[in-house]
Structure formats: C-alpha cells, structure tokens
Amino acid sequence: MALIFGIVVANAYPNPNPEKPLILKLLEHLDNKGESRFFNFSSIREPTEANLLKQLTPVQRVQVKAQLSELDKRLKRLSEDVTMLETQLGTSGGNESLERRIQGITLLLKEPSTLSSDAPLVGNSNGNRLAASAANKLKVTLPSDILFQKSNSTLRPEAGLILDKIVTDLQAYPGSTIRIAIHTDNPREAKENRNLSFKRAKAVQQYLSSALDDPYRWLIIGYGETRPLVANDTEVNQQRNRRVEIAVD
C-alpha cells in the first residue's frame, strides 16, 4: 500500500529538480571510466607529408610541379657552368658532388697564406737569391696542368695562348717586379719537386720576358710541395696543388 501511495503522490506532485537514482549515477560513472580507459590515442597523429600532399589543391599541385621543374633546370645550368670553369682551369671534379666541385674551384683560386718554413728555391733572371715581396698589384693563379705536361718543365704548345693574355695585363706595369711562383704535389722527393717547380718558373719567365719589350725585374720561386692548398690525399687534390702564380710586386 505504501508503495502504491508513493507512486500516486510522485505522479501528482513531481519534483521540479529531480535527481537521478543512485544506481543510474553508478552506471554512468563506470561508463565514463571505461571510455577514458580504452580511448584510442593513436587516432591523434601529427600531419605527415602524405597527408599534406593530400591537402594540396589541383592548382597548388601544378604550381609545385612547375617550381620543381624550374629548380631542376637551374641545377643543370649550374652543373654546366661548373664544368665549363673546370675546363678553363684545366681541372676536373670527377665523381665529386657539385658542392665539392665548387669548393675545389674556390680553393684553386684562393690566395696562398704565409710562407712555409721549408726553404723554396728563389732566384732572379741572373740566378741571384732574393726575398719574396708581400705586396701584389696583380696576381694570376693557373693550374700547372694547362701549361705543362705532368712531371715536365717544357711548356705545352697551347700554353702560349694563355700566357699571351697575361702579357697584355703585365704591359700595364712597365718596369715592375714580376714574381713567378710554381707549386707541385708530392709524388716525388721534396728536392725533386723544388727543382721541377723552379725549372717551370724559369720556363714561364723566359716566355714572358721575350714577349715584353720594356725592362722588368723577375723573381722566380720554386716552392715545390711546401705550400699545398689542400691535402695531397686524392688525385683531385693533387691537381689543385699543382699551380702557377704570376704576380706584379
């Protein structure tokens, strides 16, 4: 009777702010814990490259492809320019990367630093010993391979085409001291390298002096292997170290 009376009263006068029964609260609490416990966090992922590509519109895809095509053309042009420079300098990058080949050309044209403690062969056109000057008005650096055969002090037949251009530059400094310094790599004995470099410097001096009318003073230096630009550990590096320097002091 009490149960029936309670149901009748509840229907006649419902609570304006009813509370859920305790059993329902417990069930909801357990459901919420289950959801948090078994939530799949792997569904939250960082955007990947594939996802980013999927987000590109057709127009954006066309633009990206055009940019890649232009970059590829620039890379090919740069590679051709580097190859042309290497040909002009008488060097070769072989299988080196494009960046390493550019670094090699930069090192080849870099000014040498201070004098080595090893004594190079130094002389003038009369054979007298001289001290090298530090101030340069004009300086040209060339790979030895474009002027000389390897291990030879005789000028190549085509070397005159290059030296004639230098003669034109030297004519702007009449009566000056012209310094010719030759460097080698290190496959031979140090003394042999110094002698070879001195003979090569003498050959360059004889060619230039015969082409210049005005009197010049000549400083001839055979450094041999004493002032390498890079380590003589590869064929490419050895080629970089074999160089001719002609300067107006």
Side-chain angles (χ1 to χ4, degrees), residues 47-139:
T48 62
E49 293 182 2
N51 291 334
L52 292 175
L53 288 175
K54 290 180 181 178
Q55 295 175 7
L56 293 178
T57 65
V59 175
Q60 290 174 329
R61 284 176 175 270
V62 172
Q63 292 174 346
V64 170
K65 289 181 179 180
Q67 291 174 353
L68 288 175
S69 178
E70 180 62 26
L71 288 175
D72 184 59
K73 291 179 181 178
R74 292 181 184 179
L75 185 61
K76 290 180 179 178
R77 287 197 297 266
L78 179 59
S79 178
E80 292 173 356
D81 291 341
V82 171
T83 301
M84 183 174 64
L85 280 175
E86 290 173 341
T87 302
Q88 292 176 353
L89 295 175
T91 185
S92 173
N95 295 324
E96 297 281 353
S97 66
L98 190 59
E99 181 180 2
R100 291 292 299 273
R101 291 165 63 190
I102 294 175
Q103 290 175 354
I105 295 174
T106 302
L107 287 174
L108 185 63
L109 300 177
K110 186 178 179 181
E111 295 282 346
S113 56
T114 57
L115 291 174
S116 170
S117 58
D118 296 329
L121 295 181
V122 183
N124 62 6
S125 55
N126 297 323
N128 298 323
R129 298 281 170 168
L130 297 173
S133 174
N136 299 325
K137 298 177 182 178
L138 171 70
K139 186 168 186 178

Side-chain angles (χ1 to χ4, degrees), residues 165-181:
K165 295 180 181 179
I166 298 176
V167 167
T168 302
D169 294 330
L170 294 177
Q171 288 174 343
Y173 305 93
S176 298
T177 298
I178 301 175
R179 176 166 51 90
I180 303 173

Side-chain angles (χ1 to χ4, degrees), residues 169-198:
D169 294 330
L170 294 177
Q171 288 174 343
Y173 305 93
S176 298
T177 298
I178 301 175
R179 176 166 51 90
I180 303 173
I182 307 291
H183 304 263
T184 67
D185 50 12
N186 66 343
R188 297 165 295 275
E189 294 293 332
K191 183 177 180 180
E192 185 180 355
N193 283 326
R194 289 196 300 271
N195 289 332
L196 175 62
S197 60
F198 188 80

Side-chain angles (χ1 to χ4, degrees), residues 194-233:
R194 289 196 300 271
N195 289 332
L196 175 62
S197 60
F198 188 80
K199 290 179 180 179
R200 287 180 169 182
K202 184 67 176 178
V204 173
Q205 180 264 326
Q206 289 175 347
Y207 185 95
L208 295 178
S209 62
S210 63
L212 293 168
D213 296 331
D214 294 324
Y216 288 84
R217 295 180 296 274
W218 300 92
L219 178 63
I220 306 167
I221 309 174
Y223 282 110
E225 63 188 67
T226 61
R227 294 181 63 181
L229 291 175
V230 292
N232 284 295
D233 52 0

